[in-house]
Amino acid sequence: MTKGLLIYQVDAFADEPFSGNPAAVCILHQAMDDAWMQQVAQEMNLSETAFLVPDGSDFHLRWFTPLAEVDLCGHATLAAAHVLWEAGYLYPSEEARFHTRSGLLTAAHDEDRIVLDFPAVAVTPAAPPPGLLEALGVEAVAVGKNQYDYLVEVADAATVRALAPDFSALAKVHARGVMVTAQAEPAADGPADGPTDGAAYRRAEGEAYDFISRFFGPAVGVNEDPVTGSAHCALGPYWAAKLGKQTFLAYQASARGGAVHVELVGDRVRLGGRAVTVLRGEFV
């Protein structure tokens, strides 16, 4: 049943290969059982593997980490849209429409970027659960939570960059993952110090970053996610309330790194970035 199926590896939120966040994208002829998809995700061993099933001109989309299915993933959705256009499943002028556990999600071209239309995910203030701040090794300015993740704001961008969490301890926190964020310091948050993506910085040259973040998800098999689109569904509204603006340029300061254009539109968040296909394989 699987012979001849193609699977792609795409670097999302990236201008060039080996940057941004890699995702696998598999376009199926028909729905497959959950156990098989989970095995494929384990085999790919990336933070996310996306599975697409055509439904007319739309697609059903599911996302799996090496350990579990998740309800929302930005970078693998961006990767999936990129593959649909590049491989000729959709014309570049067509909108990609995905039916998911988080409702209808869409992707469209906007000049040289792909823009995702995702739900905004509000963060409410919360007490840090036992062990969270100790596992991160930080003092928090503020802590919040949504249905997916914890958000921890720290004092400055340097603290975000210097994080070295205890992943074994962090995996015991009951949540998909943890975002750690701070307001950016444009003079310091370029390519000079800490983990950066030079290509992302060159693309954003002339624009100041508004905030930076990192994302950790050891509970779902991803110690650190390089660039997390879904986290920006929460980070966007969070920083909108603090900075009084609706449009942001964000930087995720992982070792691979990547820039995310974030725009709030009502109860939706538009996430913009680029993608590059790195590999294409065939199931035998």
Side-chain angles (χ1 to χ4, degrees):
M1 183 182 294
T2 60
K3 186 175 181 180
L5 284 177
L6 295 178
I7 191 163
Y8 302 81
Q9 185 166 318
V10 176
D11 288 344
F13 296 109
D15 288 317
E16 56 191 24
F18 317 124
S19 61
N21 198 354
V25 178
C26 183
I27 303 175
L28 304 171
H29 304 311
Q30 62 189 54
M32 300 290 285
D33 65 76
D34 293 4
W36 180 85
M37 289 188 288
Q38 188 64 74
Q39 287 176 325
V40 172
Q42 290 172 345
E43 185 76 9
M44 297 307 295
N45 199 32
L46 300 170
S47 59
E48 302 287 349
T49 297
F51 295 92
L52 294 165
V53 179
D55 182 4
S57 60
D58 293 1
F59 294 84
H60 293 277
L61 171 60
R62 295 172 71 180
W63 310 277
F64 287 78
T65 78
L67 292 183
E69 184 173 10
V70 297
D71 291 334
L72 187 66
C73 178
H75 85 279
T77 305
L78 190 147
H82 169 79
V83 167
L84 292 176
W85 289 314
E86 185 176 73
Y89 290 89
L90 294 173
Y91 291 111
S93 59
E94 290 184 278
E95 181 181 69
R97 293 168 51 86
F98 302 110
H99 299 276
T100 77
R101 285 186 171 192
S102 293
L104 177 65
L105 308 177
T106 64
H109 279 116
D110 181 9
E111 297 180 352
D112 64 342
R113 289 199 298 268
I114 297 170
V115 177
L116 307 175
D117 186 331
F118 269 41
V121 181
V123 171
T124 56
L132 172 61
L133 299 183
E134 292 81 1
L136 292 171
V138 298
E139 294 184 6
V141 171
V143 177
K145 189 179 186 300
N146 59 34
Q147 65 264 46
Y148 304 119
D149 309 306
Y150 279 95
L151 183 152
V152 177
E153 183 188 350
V154 295
D156 51 44
T159 301
V160 175
R161 291 184 176 279
L163 282 168
D166 179 338
F167 292 118
S168 295
L170 198 59
K172 297 175 183 177
V173 175
H174 185 65
R176 180 189 69 161
V178 178
M179 305 167 258
V180 183
T181 187
Q183 188 170 355
E185 299 165 1
D189 288 338
D193 64 330
T196 61
D197 170 17
Y201 186 76
R202 287 194 297 274
R203 186 174 83 234
E205 193 171 357
E207 299 180 70
Y209 290 111
D210 295 291
F211 62 85
I212 75 167
S213 67
R214 289 172 69 186
F215 184 92
F216 307 105
V220 292
V222 183
N223 279 350
E224 179 165 8
D225 196 37
V227 189
T228 314
S230 62
H232 289 79
C233 294
L235 290 165
Y238 180 81
W239 284 107
K242 294 181 73 72
L243 301 180
K245 55 190 295 187
Q246 301 296 302
T247 302
F248 307 90
L249 183 62
Y251 187 77
Q252 192 155 329
S254 65
R256 291 172 67 100
V260 183
H261 292 257
V262 183
E263 181 184 7
L264 271 64
V265 182
D267 62 353
R268 307 292 291 180
V269 178
R270 292 178 180 167
L271 306 173
R274 296 176 180 172
V276 182
T277 301
V278 176
L279 298 171
R280 183 176 67 178
E282 181 179 341
F283 285 92
V284 296

